[in-house]
Structure formats: C-alpha cells, structure tokens
Amino acid sequence: MPDIRALHGLRYDLGHIGSLAEVISPAEVASDPTLVDSLFERHPANVIRILANREEPGDDQLNNRFTRARRFLTDWQRQGVLQREPDPAIYVYHQDFDWNGQRVTRRGFLAGLTLEEIDQQQYEALLLLLNQPAQEALEMLRATQTNVRPGIALYADSSISVQQVLENQIATATPLIAKDEAGVVHRLWPVTDHQVIGQIREKMAHRQMFRNAMDDFLPATLNRYELAQRGELTPMHPANFMLTAFFELTEPGFEPKLRFPLAHAAPRLTSSELVEKLGVHFDCQVMDKGLEAAAELWEEMQTSSELGHFGIYCGADQTWVSVMLTADGQVRMEEATPERDEAWRDLDENLWEWLVLTELLETADAKQTYARSVENLVGVLQEDQGGEISLAAMIRPVCMTQYQSFLERQVSFFHKIETDPAPVCGLVINRLA
C-alpha cells in the first residue's frame, strides 16, 4: 500500500522565466544530444542543466557536469528563479495529447512516494543492477540532492474516488500550463489544503499500486540508504520520498506492452503435429500463407471476442496455426492451476504458458525471448536460419480494466505498461537537501 506525502516542491517563478514551456524537458533526453543542445539554447534556466548536464572540455574531478548542475541549482534558488513552495503540496497534473485518433486528457497528481528501506546486502546487489543511465542518474542525485525526473506509479481505483477529490478541489482554479515539443499540453495545480491532502493520503493508503519502471526508483533508493549510513536521514527528511506521478490505471493512453514469446527450447513441431498435441483442448485452423500470415492472423485476433484465441508459429514447417480454447481446454486449465481464479486462467498469456507449453507440450522451461511487434516478430523469424526458435506465439495483451481488477483483488500479475507521454521534468522539483 502506498504511503504518499505532500512536498515543499521547487517551482519556477514565471516572473523570472516568462514561459514555463521554455524551461521544461522530456524525461528521456540523455540519448539525444541534438535535443539536449536545443534545450540548452532554449533558455538559460532550462531544467536540462540539472537533468542531463553536458560534458565540457577540461572537465575534471572538481569541475564537471555534476558539479555544474549543483551550481546551477544553487544559483537559481539564490536568484529566485526557483522558489520553494511555502506550504507542502500535492500537485494535480493533467496531460492533453492525441491517442487513437482523438484528443484525450490523462489526469493524475504529483506527490512524494515513501521509498523502501534496504540493508547493506540489498544495497550492494542493487548497485550491481544499475544500467548506465541509472548509474548516471545516481551520480547526479548524489551531486545535486535533487529529484527532477518523476517516477511513474499506477494504481487501481475503479471508483475514481481519489482523483475526484482532487478534481473537485481545482474546479475553479487556474492551472500552470506548458506545451512541449511533441504537442503535449501539461497542466499543473498546486493543492495545499491540509484536509484534502489528508483525504488523498488516506485513500491512497488503501489502494493497490505498482511502480511501472522499477529502475527509475533505484537511484533515489540507493541515495536514501547512503544518507542513512552517514547519519543524515531523519524520519521526515525529503530524501525519504521520491517525486512521483500517480495515475489511475484506466486513464487514457495506458496500454500493456506487446510481448510475443519466442520459444527456443520447446519441441520443434510441424503444424499438423501441433494440432495433434493440442487435441480436444483447442480448435485449430492451419493458415496457408506461411510466415507472412502473421499480419492477417493478428488482425483477426484483434477483432475476436473468443476466449483463448491466439496464433502459434511452427518453426518446423514455417506455418501459423490459429487456435481457440474449447470447453475441454478450460477444464484442463482449471485442473492444472486449481489455486488460480477464473479471470487469471482466461488470460491468453497464461493459457500459453500453463496449458500449451507446460501441460500439453510438457515443456517446463521453453527459454523464451520476446518480440515487441508483429513486424519485429516476423523479422526475427525470417532471420532464424538455424532453426533455433521452435515455436512462437502472438498473444493478445491484458486490457487495462482487467489489470485494474487484478490489482484491486491482489491477484499476482505483472505486465509492463506503455506510459507515453511521460511526465515532463521541470514542473515540480523535489529538493532533498
């Protein structure tokens, strides 16, 4: 259960900067030097100077991009460019963007999320897991003690009661507005009413939540541990909390990432052998266009309302088979997973893992890798000249209302969610020092 906190956020003073749009930055920017340069040139106080400061000729241990970021932050606060929120606040946050051919508004809020405590062994293990961007984010956090990039947390609230409290609070308030280079409009309303903040904290304490990208929270977790070891961490120290954007799962634009499994250690079967193995548990139709039938089959699956409808590719004869679960298959799945509930058993990816691979093909570990689109899947299969991929499958992802239901019922399930457009950096900054 999440423990959220209001923050004394740092915000840009519009009297100094003119337009908020001039100083915000996309979160994922470090890998695009051209965009970084553009943001540096856009405004002398653009948050990119703290988020991803550039290396400069002559950098050394005492003067480098991390120390420069710290100086910019200190100078901006001293000059009044950044001003601390006088009262702790939760920030209502809306994004307006194009999705599936229409303009939509995604509603959420920014607040602090209490970080988990770790011990020395966990600390050392997590350090080893850091990829290069996370390692650089930790170095920047150590130098600036400032949380610029919001993490993303998704929670289940079918009643939408959490967000509704906030929407009622801002009904007549004027937002801060910034439009980014992708055309996304970001709106922000600080909420400092203690009673409203208390309501939100209480409601969120009873909501199921998950952090969509755990790597985004690792630098803050490690930094918190380091401060604790130096004796600098008090119970209400700002480093206990990470700036986080909270969204209800069914807000517009959230979609499970496609994940098509490629089984490297499953039996190498022809389409006719697969049909025989599946037996009475699936109705099967062998496709006659070889590997290229993938796009047609996926389109058919997208419009199908049938339970357990997915496609299986047989590497032995390079043929797709369209399969649909039968009543006998449902019974077998129930027998194989008696501890699971019906909604969990009905998910295509669980039918593939538990009924097809484990039960019917008797494959305990198929050593699966994954493709992320139909085009990617077809490309990988075309390149598989050595026949390393025995079987592949096109499986429909869980829908967000199903995910919401699983989370609320505490059903063990996780599927990474596509969260673009990500919250921008610079609307609120969480100073840890």
Side-chain angles (χ1 to χ4, degrees), residues 282-408:
F282 288 89
D283 289 329
C284 302
Q285 177 188 356
V286 178
M287 310 294 285
D288 60 3
K289 294 183 180 178
L291 179 57
E292 299 305 321
E296 177 185 335
L297 178 53
W298 178 244
E299 185 175 347
E300 173 189 318
M301 290 167 53
Q302 292 285 78
T303 58
S304 173
S305 60
E306 296 293 331
L307 173 66
H309 183 189
F310 46 94
I312 302 177
Y313 174 78
C314 299
D317 59 2
Q318 299 184 342
T319 300
W320 283 98
V321 180
S322 175
V323 306
M324 291 189 194
L325 187 69
T326 64
D328 289 320
Q330 286 180 278
V331 172
R332 182 69 178 269
M333 182 65 170
E334 185 174 352
E335 292 172 348
T337 58
E339 74 286 358
R340 300 291 190 174
D341 69 6
E342 183 178 354
W344 183 92
R345 294 192 201 103
D346 287 348
L347 292 180
D348 289 352
E349 65 179 72
N350 293 333
L351 289 166
W352 163 255
E353 292 275 357
W354 292 87
L355 183 55
V356 175
L357 289 178
T358 304
E359 286 292 306
L360 302 180
L361 301 185
E362 300 178 340
T363 304
D365 182 6
K367 300 191 183 309
Q368 297 184 106
T369 56
Y370 297 91
R372 296 298 181 181
S373 68
V374 175
E375 294 77 14
N376 177 214
L377 174 63
V378 171
V380 171
L381 293 175
Q382 285 175 333
E383 294 172 3
D384 183 35
Q385 300 299 322
E388 295 181 5
I389 301 170
S390 307
L391 299 171
M394 287 191 296
I395 296 173
R396 297 171 297 185
V398 62
C399 71
M400 296 311 295
T401 52
Q402 287 176 304
Y403 212 145
Q404 181 191 65
S405 174
F406 287 142
L407 208 57
E408 288 187 324

Side-chain angles (χ1 to χ4, degrees), residues 137-153:
L138 177 58
E139 290 296 330
M140 187 63 77
L141 186 56
R142 286 167 173 164
T144 63
Q145 287 302 308
T146 302
N147 186 200
V148 177
R149 176 180 174 176
I152 299 176

Side-chain angles (χ1 to χ4, degrees), residues 148-223:
V148 177
R149 176 180 174 176
I152 299 176
L154 304 179
Y155 67 94
D157 180 19
S158 55
S159 67
I160 315 297
S161 63
V162 174
Q163 192 66 35
Q164 195 56 55
V165 170
L166 293 171
E167 297 302 313
N168 292 341
Q169 182 68 15
I170 65 167
T172 59
T174 302
L176 299 163
I177 302 175
K179 186 176 182 179
D180 66 25
E181 51 277 308
V184 180
V185 176
H186 307 267
R187 305 179 194 275
L188 190 78
W189 296 260
V191 173
T192 58
D193 185 289
H194 297 296
Q195 185 174 357
V196 172
I197 292 171
Q199 281 184 271
I200 298 303
R201 290 197 65 211
E202 172 63 22
K203 285 178 177 292
M204 285 298 293
H206 299 284
R207 298 295 181 270
Q208 296 297 319
M209 182 209 78
F210 68 92
R211 292 170 289 183
N212 194 53
M214 290 293 291
D215 286 353
D216 292 345
F217 291 83
L218 287 183
T221 300
L222 293 167
N223 180 68

